[in-house]
Amino acid sequence: MAATYEPIATTTLGSSANTVTFSSISGSYTDIVAVCSVKATTGSDEVLRSQVNGDTGSNYSYTYVQGVSAGAQSGRASNTSLILTQAGNLAIPEGASTFAPYVVQYMNYSNTNTFKTILSRGAGVNQAGASVSLWRSTSAITSIRFYIAAGNFDTGSTFTLYGIKAA
Amino acid sequence: MPKPTKLIINCETKEQIEVELTDEEVAQLEADRAKAEADKVAKEAADAVKAEAKAELLAKLGITAEEAALLLA
Amino acid sequence: MATTYTLIDKSILGSNQASVSFTGLGSYSSTYTDLKLVASVRDTSASNYQNAKLTFNSSTSGYSDRAIRAYGGSTVDSTSGSGSSINLFYETSDSATANTFGTYEIYIPNFSSSNYKSVSIDCVTENNASDAFLGLVAGLWSNTAAITSITVAPLSGSANLKSGSSFYLYGIKNS
């Protein structure tokens, strides 16, 4: 039976790192799903961000909804330089043993006729939310970068890419 | 102080390499962080203004937030 | 190539049950990385929906959760809790439209790690009336033990999971 959902690559950080990039992603799947379980080094206080194909320009936009201690919130940004892979401005945890799960889906990532839509679910400590992002390019996604703007992902953080085939 | 590092995973070869960020990349991160903080502050200020206006209007109408939600349902 | 996304076990209730448990998960600790429970649920409570609860390893302590919720046709809020289970997700109950089951998906990454266990839950109930529920939940079990069993049940001890409810547990392997 042909495999529909295949692991592409995975890493567990043996030391802290600011950025994790998956490069040379095959175009043979329909969608890419990234499952991240992350925490940050102490004092990082930063959100989980993503970019694709090394594009650091203002070619992204996003809308998010989040539940936090202050209540239910939503927001959006246009012409921004990042994909929001979690909800809003929620910092990833820094606790000793607590890693937060994020599932990020890059829909039709290898389609060269459409801009790319990215759906994300984040479940941090005392925070939950979802976001949708847009990358305004018809290029196939061949690399995905996860990073935080200040501080590092801590040791033990895991990042895994899966490919999903529609047929 | 050591520079932050990036881990690059080649999905074809499964090779993983760790390299330091360039000066330009570090500068970009700092710019991103500053913008995110500024955006957060601006949003919090806008939300506070909205909340104050809402409270004033409810007081003017003499109703609670729950009663307002019921009216608009 | 080893299969990445595999059905470990399933249960389709032939009669009402107080809870459903998947046990013996310790034997999968080296086979799979993550677990995902997909459920289609209705319970016997006399309401449109009510809280479901999730526990691990029969433990009744160390849980906390946060949810963003949309319900009642116009309410959106965020709430949190802590205590003996993760329970801010919801299931359809017996006053909702007949033959209607709600859905929840529970994703558990790194279920056998020695870190605390964080979970992500999506849930929806449906009802052809003004009262239904949608929620996104972040849960945490502050325990470093590997997960060896998962139990779901209605939060109200007086309600049962209704016959016809289904539960599918998948293992996901990252390499």
Side-chain angles (χ1 to χ4, degrees):
Chain A
M1 181 176 173
T4 302
Y5 199 104
E6 292 182 357
I8 297 172
T10 186
T11 190
T12 301
L13 296 185
S15 58
S16 62
N18 172 268
T19 297
V20 173
T21 298
F22 292 90
S23 64
S24 302
I25 298 172
S26 161
S28 63
Y29 302 100
T30 310
D31 303 326
I32 293 283
V33 177
V35 178
C36 310
S37 181
V38 298
K39 74 179 177 84
T41 54
T42 304
S44 296
D45 189 28
E46 252 298 336
V47 300
L48 177 66
R49 300 163 180 249
S50 179
Q51 291 170 331
V52 295
N53 289 18
D55 187 355
T56 59
S58 300
N59 298 313
Y60 307 86
S61 55
Y62 59 75
T63 303
Y64 68 85
V65 60
Q66 64 186 23
V68 295
S69 55
Q73 302 173 342
S74 71
R76 69 163 278 100
S78 302
N79 300 309
T80 184
S81 63
L82 64 109
I83 293 162
L84 199 64
T85 58
Q86 66 177 77
N89 59 347
L90 308 176
I92 53 182
E94 301 172 9
S97 299
T98 305
F99 291 75
Y102 303 95
V103 179
V104 189
Q105 296 179 255
Y106 301 79
M107 317 297 288
N108 269 323
Y109 75 104
S110 60
N111 187 314
T112 54
N113 296 313
T114 62
F115 289 172
K116 306 304 179 290
T117 303
I118 301 100
L119 303 177
S120 175
R121 280 277 285 111
V125 177
N126 204 27
Q127 58 197 36
S131 64
V132 57
S133 302
L134 177 71
W135 179 48
R136 297 192 308 281
S137 170
T138 55
S139 298
I141 292 175
T142 57
S143 73
I144 296 172
R145 174 193 182 207
F146 295 102
Y147 68 105
I148 51 178
N152 294 299
F153 298 120
D154 208 350
T155 304
S157 295
T158 63
F159 301 81
T160 303
L161 284 197
Y162 298 93
I164 300 177
K165 283 190 187 184
Chain B
M1 187 176 180
K3 277 188 197 160
T5 57
K6 58 186 177 185
L7 178 67
I8 302 172
I9 302 147
N10 188 310
C11 296
E12 277 184 347
T13 65
K14 311 302 181 200
E15 182 188 12
Q16 301 189 10
I17 57 172
E18 191 176 319
V19 297
E20 281 188 347
L21 298 185
T22 64
D23 290 340
E24 290 74 22
E25 286 171 331
V26 172
Q28 184 62 55
L29 283 182
E30 179 50 38
D32 288 349
R33 190 203 62 75
K35 183 176 186 310
E37 187 57 34
D39 288 347
K40 184 177 170 183
V41 166
K43 187 175 190 307
E44 285 171 354
D47 288 346
V49 166
K50 237 193 229 177
E52 196 176 329
K54 181 179 171 182
E56 276 180 23
L57 180 57
L58 287 173
K60 187 175 168 184
L61 293 172
I63 61 175
T64 65
E66 291 75 20
E67 288 167 335
L70 192 59
L71 266 177
L72 297 169
Chain C
M1 179 191 248
T3 306
T4 302
Y5 198 113
T6 307
L7 180 66
I8 293 175
D9 213 337
K10 66 181 182 187
S11 176
I12 302 171
L13 300 185
S15 60
N16 296 349
Q17 299 293 331
S19 66
V20 167
S21 295
F22 291 90
T23 64
L25 299 177
S27 61
Y28 296 104
S29 61
S30 56
T31 311
Y32 301 111
T33 316
D34 306 337
L35 296 175
K36 182 172 180 179
L37 177 64
V38 180
S40 175
V41 179
R42 187 177 177 100
D43 68 39
T44 58
S45 173
S47 57
N48 291 323
Y49 50 79
Q50 70 140 323
N51 298 71
K53 68 176 179 181
L54 167 68
T55 54
F56 300 117
N57 298 9
S58 302
S59 170
T60 55
S61 65
Y63 300 97
S64 58
D65 46 8
R66 159 73 62 186
I68 177 167
R69 315 180 300 181
Y71 57 96
S74 61
T75 303
V76 177
D77 68 13
S78 174
T79 189
S80 65
S82 62
S84 59
S85 64
I86 293 167
N87 58 47
L88 292 181
F89 61 114
Y90 284 72
E91 58 195 27
T92 298
S93 300
D94 238 359
S95 296
T97 305
N99 303 315
T100 301
F101 288 69
T103 299
Y104 56 76
E105 288 191 0
I106 302 172
Y107 198 96
I108 310 165
N110 299 320
F111 74 102
S112 62
S113 79
S114 57
N115 296 311
Y116 290 171
K117 307 304 178 291
S118 298
V119 304
S120 177
I121 305 175
D122 296 354
C123 63
V124 291
T125 75
E126 194 40 83
N127 184 27
N128 191 24
S130 61
D131 200 13
F133 189 99
L134 180 153
L136 307 176
V137 182
L140 179 68
W141 183 44
S142 298
N143 194 306
T144 55
I147 290 174
T148 57
S149 72
I150 297 170
T151 300
V152 289
L155 181 63
S156 162
S158 61
N160 287 314
L161 298 166
K162 207 169 164 86
S163 172
S165 296
S166 63
F167 304 84
Y168 293 80
L169 181 66
Y170 297 92
I172 297 168
K173 185 178 171 59
N174 72 352
S175 62

